[in-house]
Amino acid sequence: MVGSSHEAMHRIFQKDPALLTRALQQVLRIPFPEPHDFAGMNIDLTEIEPIERRVDTLLRAETDEGAYLLVVESQGKPDERKRGSWPYYLSYLYEKYRCEPVLIVVTQNSATARWAAEPIHLGVRGCPSLTVRPFVLGPDNVPVIAKASEAEQDPALAVLSAMTHGRGPHVAGILESLVAALKTLDADTAAVFVQFVDSCLADPQAQHMWRDLMTAMQYFWRHPLAESVRGEGRGEGRVEKGAEMTLNILEWRGVPVSDAVRHRVETCTDEDLLTLWARRAMDVSDAEQLFDADGS
């Protein structure tokens, strides 16, 4: 189970390594060659026993131009110790594997992104012996994907968008569009992506919205995180929870709810019917459409 945004921000590239090269090519406009194979690698870079160094994610990408080592670091805030660690990682990996190492930093914070993108110069000021230029993916360059059609074209990039912009003003549209993209994936992949997004939503309202949407889709029920959600449901009453979820989804999507609709939802005691209405709430443009003949 993914327990933190730090872990989710780099593990998404373990789940879909091709997303990393698409991000290099399409977001950062780096002419990275198209890989034809990926392999996960040992992240432990410890050379001398008392000094332990580990990267977050390490992938080997095989291309027609040769192999590249893709080093992914998830960064929550500036850490000046990385100015020494990152050059070490690249030098060590090149020496050990004789492959070109590429450093990619992912972050949810614009200030951290600007800090991470600053070149690292080691040596004489103005004439360094070693310069490291990290490639950075963050809120200022990862696209905001808030349209279902765009999310469906590249679900993994839509997940990265939700993870990166989970604290921003566009989060409601991003999450709603991501729901459509998740429906195109197999249940196991979708459920893993659901966890990644959940771990990165720091705003309580955004996380509440996400959990309601995912409960309606029933992807949460495949993972340990679902146990806490189900526990909340038992404590509050599953019927009351279903009514609240239906109305919340309509509210977050900007669909007006009349007093009549609210009364009908809140007084419903049929759990199966409330589940149906919650699913419909993700798609309807008029709240009255919840009660179409085949669902009322």
Side-chain angles (χ1 to χ4, degrees):
M1 177 177 174
V2 179
S4 68
S5 60
H6 174 93
E7 189 177 2
M9 289 295 290
H10 69 86
R11 279 189 56 186
I12 185 175
F13 301 112
Q14 297 177 16
K15 178 63 178 175
D16 186 351
L19 172 63
L20 186 56
T21 55
R22 292 200 300 278
L24 289 172
Q25 296 163 349
Q26 300 171 21
V27 178
L28 299 178
R29 304 298 180 185
I30 296 168
F32 192 85
E34 193 65 35
H36 48 73
D37 189 28
F38 288 97
M41 300 183 68
N42 189 342
I43 61 174
D44 191 346
L45 307 186
T46 304
E47 186 174 15
I48 301 175
E49 188 171 350
I51 303 177
E52 181 177 328
R53 299 181 188 270
R54 293 175 183 271
V55 298
D56 288 332
T57 286
L58 179 61
L59 299 169
R60 182 185 177 107
E62 300 289 346
T63 78
D64 291 338
E65 299 178 11
Y68 286 85
L69 301 178
L70 304 178
V71 183
V72 184
E73 285 281 279
S74 175
Q75 199 68 29
K77 61 183 180 180
D79 182 354
E80 288 304 316
R81 292 175 299 178
K82 296 295 185 178
R83 298 290 175 184
S85 298
W86 289 342
Y88 169 86
Y89 294 166
L90 302 184
S91 298
Y92 175 84
L93 289 169
Y94 180 77
E95 178 64 23
K96 182 174 182 177
Y97 296 105
R98 291 297 169 177
C99 296
E100 297 295 340
V102 180
L103 174 63
I104 303 100
V105 180
V106 290
T107 182
Q108 297 173 288
N109 184 276
S110 293
T112 301
R114 291 190 293 272
W115 165 83
E118 295 175 2
I120 302 169
H121 301 296
L122 301 181
V124 179
R125 183 172 300 180
C127 189
S129 297
L130 175 65
T131 297
V132 174
R133 291 183 171 86
F135 299 134
V136 181
L137 295 168
D140 296 331
N141 56 13
V142 172
V144 173
I145 300 180
K147 294 182 179 180
S149 58
E150 295 178 0
E152 290 170 357
Q153 289 177 3
D154 194 336
L157 184 59
V159 172
L160 181 62
S161 177
M163 293 163 61
T164 305
H165 299 285
R167 302 173 181 175
H170 306 290
V171 64
I174 292 172
L175 296 183
E176 185 179 345
S177 68
L178 183 55
V179 169
L182 291 176
K183 291 178 180 178
T184 69
L185 303 176
D186 65 272
D188 289 335
T189 296
V192 172
F193 283 159
V194 164
Q195 273 199 295
F196 288 162
V197 174
D198 186 83
S199 298
C200 291
L201 294 176
D203 179 69
Q205 185 176 8
Q207 189 176 69
H208 190 185
M209 175 185 180
W210 181 240
R211 291 190 174 194
D212 276 354
L213 290 170
M214 292 301 100
T215 299
M217 289 182 66
Q218 295 186 338
Y219 278 129
F220 259 164
W221 309 112
R222 301 180 61 86
H223 287 271
L225 186 58
E227 295 301 327
S228 62
V229 178
R230 280 200 290 270
E232 293 171 6
R234 284 192 295 268
E236 299 172 13
R238 294 185 65 90
V239 169
E240 290 83 356
K241 185 67 176 177
E244 178 188 1
M245 179 170 60
T246 300
L247 295 173
N248 281 344
I249 292 173
L250 291 172
E251 178 184 348
W252 286 320
R253 294 188 60 237
V255 178
V257 178
S258 67
D259 290 342
V261 169
R262 183 177 299 277
H263 177 75
R264 184 169 178 181
V265 172
E266 290 179 340
T267 57
C268 179
T269 58
D270 186 328
E271 186 177 332
D272 292 336
L273 190 54
L274 285 168
T275 299
L276 174 63
W277 289 349
R279 291 177 184 172
R280 286 185 173 183
M282 295 188 289
D283 300 310
V284 299
S285 56
D286 186 322
E288 291 287 347
Q289 293 173 340
L290 293 176
F291 315 126
D292 285 349
D294 60 334
S296 60

